[in-house]
Amino acid sequence: MDKFLIEGPCKIKGKVKISGAKNSALVLLAATLLFEKPVTLKNLPRVRDINTMLNLLKSLGSKITLSKDRKTARIQNKKKLKTFASYSLVKTMRASILVLGPLISKFHKSTTSYPGGCNIGLRPVNYHLSALKKLGMKYQIKKGYIHAKSNGRLLGTTIKFSKISVGATENTIIAACLARGKTIIKNCAIEPEIKDLTNFLNCAGAKITWKGRTCLITGVNSLNETDYSVMADRIETGTFCVAATIAQGDLEIQNLNPKNIKTELNILKKAGAKIRVFENKIFIKGPKVIKPIKNIKTKEWPGIATDMQSQLMVLMCKANGESSITENIFENRFLHASELQRLGAKIKIINNKATIQGNTKLIGAELMSSDLRASVALVLAAMVSRGKSTINRVYHLDRGYENIEKKLRKIGVKIKRLK
Ligand code: UD1
């Protein structure tokens, strides 16, 4: 299993280009199952989760042609696709559940593996299932699979989520696109990736409008040939912004939409970063002294992204005083804390709140990755620790960060991949 060797502390300077958003690309790829006409998706990130989704689509019968740089995919579906999403593919990536909505909507049946839990929490799919049921899907869970069918086209209705869920909102929107009549979905997640999804579908002829957290969909019979470019990855953007802030860096971050990272940039400004924002790039300089921040709380968009929580915790370890972070989205998302403690971090966790004593002199150590965002936090921490750190199981990082070691090496981080 690959490892990273990082020698700190590093000074970082230079330019970095942000890749396409993994979490948007995954859902757009799943939505291509609705199409009979060809779809071209550009700006796909070259990360393992995208390969998994492409393999899942291929296993269903989609014909996929990738450009030489693997950033553009042309997807052409046969009139009839298979409707079986196997455990072997779904178990490696929970986002595979996103094929359920389009399969049931387009082909009126699906057998999709029930996704398991994961390191950061239980992550059930009850909201996905109950919303699809309201649209007309009938299902049974047998031997680890969701056996689902519908009597022909789904039927538009009103759905209200009792809790905001990104994935359930996406699955329901995709399914409702081809449903008969009008669907009103209330209390939706409105993350930028979801707006990217509805922009994409509307480009293909879907009829979707928004009013706050309510999504209104008028079903159409079919979708048109479409060519679409995936939005930039806001979490990769935020990660590089934290890298610059924590390491007295001086970075120009390109190919992004600063509006999608506004809340997190405000936190970094509070911590002392100097930030200049342009239409599609950011200049960011890290301060000599990082200010502590009390009461950082993760929340659904437009709040602070839970996917930025671990990176902000590393930042607070280097702040000049006590900070606190409350995780409100996932029940077990502080796995990185015990690894950071191995570097010398002083973090106390009570329930979903972490209190961090700053001013820590971090010292390199051997570390273990546990999930995607926890792993990137360890990379950031190793960058500002004295001496050598080894990060094991970097396959977690490869799931969602394109060429991370190349991008970091280019801006001055001493990082090596050991095979
Ligand atoms: C997506 C993102 C993930 C991000 C998360 C929150 C992708 C591929 N992943 O995950 O990176 O951290 O949004 O912004 O886009 N829940 C239920 N029942 C359900 C669905 C969700 O109880 O049916 C709970 C979850 O356990 C969690 C909370 O709702 O506690 C939010 O989860 P959700 O927004 O659905 O996250 P994902 O779509 O899985």
Side-chain angles (χ1 to χ4, degrees):
M1 263 185 251
D2 292 9
K3 300 173 182 183
F4 277 158
L5 185 66
I6 298 176
E7 200 174 339
C10 311
K11 278 250 154 154
I12 67 171
K13 193 173 166 58
K15 294 179 187 174
V16 63
K17 266 197 190 132
I18 297 304
S19 302
K22 166 186 83 81
N23 285 356
S24 177
L26 284 175
V27 63
L28 300 193
L29 283 169
T32 64
L33 290 168
L34 295 177
F35 290 70
E36 282 174 28
K37 304 258 170 64
V39 185
T40 303
L41 288 176
K42 295 177 185 155
N43 201 31
L44 295 173
R46 285 170 299 188
V47 296
R48 227 186 53 214
D49 274 6
I50 297 299
N51 291 339
T52 307
M53 184 56 93
L54 290 171
N55 287 336
L56 179 52
L57 297 183
K58 280 185 204 161
S59 78
L60 297 170
S62 299
K63 188 165 176 279
I64 299 171
T65 320
L66 283 175
S67 61
K68 229 179 179 170
D69 66 4
R70 299 181 66 81
K71 288 187 178 220
T72 302
R74 187 173 191 274
I75 297 136
Q76 169 75 72
N77 293 327
K78 289 184 236 148
K79 229 181 160 64
K80 271 217 144 198
L81 290 180
K82 291 182 197 136
T83 53
F84 175 74
S86 78
Y87 174 66
S88 61
L89 283 163
V90 174
K91 74 168 186 223
T92 61
M93 187 181 69
R94 288 183 47 83
S96 312
I97 186 70
L98 293 171
V99 301
L100 176 60
L103 287 178
I104 200 75
S105 180
K106 177 81 183 148
F107 303 105
H108 317 308
K109 62 176 184 181
S110 147
T111 306
T112 303
S113 175
Y114 194 96
C118 75
N119 289 340
I120 63 172
L122 288 170
R123 303 186 81 175
V125 290
N126 53 322
Y127 302 132
H128 299 242
L129 295 176
S130 56
L132 294 173
K133 192 173 167 194
K134 279 207 98 178
L135 286 168
M137 179 182 89
K138 296 189 179 75
Y139 71 94
Q140 271 187 320
I141 296 165
K142 268 193 294 191
K143 294 188 179 168
Y145 280 85
I146 305 161
H147 296 261
K149 58 180 182 192
S150 67
N151 287 332
R153 264 176 95 179
L154 298 175
L155 198 57
T157 184
T158 299
I159 294 163
K160 186 174 180 194
F161 287 115
S162 54
K163 185 176 169 184
I164 294 169
S165 157
V166 172
T169 301
E170 293 166 340
N171 233 338
T172 314
I173 289 174
I174 298 173
C177 250
L178 300 185
R180 216 176 305 133
K182 279 197 169 58
T183 302
I184 301 171
I185 316 171
K186 295 182 180 169
N187 203 25
C188 287
I190 48 168
E191 266 63 6
E193 291 77 12
I194 291 173
K195 297 300 174 84
D196 210 29
L197 169 68
T198 54
N199 283 341
F200 163 65
L201 292 169
N202 280 340
C203 283
K207 293 203 176 104
I208 308 173
T209 55
W210 285 95
K211 215 170 165 195
R213 284 199 181 274
T214 299
C215 185
L216 301 118
I217 303 165
T218 306
V220 294
N221 290 331
S222 63
L223 296 169
N224 307 324
E225 179 166 355
T226 302
D227 193 325
Y228 192 81
S229 191
V230 176
M231 64 177 267
D233 196 311
R234 64 190 169 108
I235 307 301
E236 188 193 17
T237 310
T239 303
F240 277 101
C241 287
V242 172
T245 309
I246 206 170
Q248 286 180 40
D250 186 352
L251 280 189
E252 178 180 335
I253 309 178
Q254 305 168 331
N255 280 9
L256 56 99
N257 181 352
K259 284 188 194 134
N260 289 343
I261 189 87
K262 208 170 148 199
T263 315
E264 290 78 9
L265 289 183
N266 283 338
I267 292 280
L268 298 180
K269 278 183 196 158
K270 268 197 200 166
K274 293 268 174 301
I275 302 173
R276 284 185 298 141
V277 169
F278 294 84
E279 198 187 331
N280 60 358
K281 63 182 167 186
I282 295 173
F283 290 86
I284 178 160
K285 274 190 186 175
K288 285 220 159 64
V289 178
I290 298 165
K291 291 183 206 140
I293 304 174
K294 285 247 159 78
N295 280 329
I296 295 176
K297 288 182 179 158
T298 63
K299 221 177 169 314
E300 297 86 6
W301 175 271
I304 298 168
T306 171
D307 285 353
M308 282 300 299
Q309 181 256 104
S310 60
Q311 300 90 316
L312 293 172
M313 185 178 285
V314 179
L315 179 67
M316 291 301 110
C317 288
K318 297 299 286 176
N320 182 27
E322 186 181 292
S323 310
S324 64
I325 303 183
T326 305
E327 170 56 53
N328 287 317
I329 308 293
F330 291 107
E331 63 266 33
N332 190 25
R333 212 176 195 180
F334 284 141
L335 291 167
H336 42 283
S338 51
E339 293 302 297
L340 296 176
Q341 282 164 344
R342 305 193 69 249
L343 297 170
K346 298 185 200 88
I347 304 165
K348 208 166 87 193
I349 292 172
I350 300 175
N351 301 325
N352 65 337
K353 184 172 178 181
T355 307
I356 304 122
Q357 299 301 329
N359 283 321
T360 321
K361 288 202 169 47
L362 301 175
I363 297 175
E366 182 147 4
L367 303 166
M368 188 65 78
S369 299
S370 54
D371 68 75
L372 174 59
R373 307 301 170 189
S375 319
V376 87
L378 301 185
V379 170
L380 293 173
M383 274 167 47
V384 290
S385 296
R386 191 155 39 84
K388 285 184 180 155
S389 294
T390 312
I391 303 179
N392 292 292
R393 295 196 184 159
V394 297
Y395 61 83
H396 286 293
L397 274 161
D398 295 335
R399 286 188 51 196
Y401 284 89
E402 178 177 313
N403 279 337
I404 184 152
E405 75 264 35
K406 279 194 197 140
K407 289 190 188 186
L408 287 171
R409 213 176 297 128
K410 209 177 134 222
I411 57 174
V413 178
K414 290 186 193 140
I415 178 168
K416 241 202 291 198
R417 184 183 283 259
L418 305 176
K419 296 265 180 195

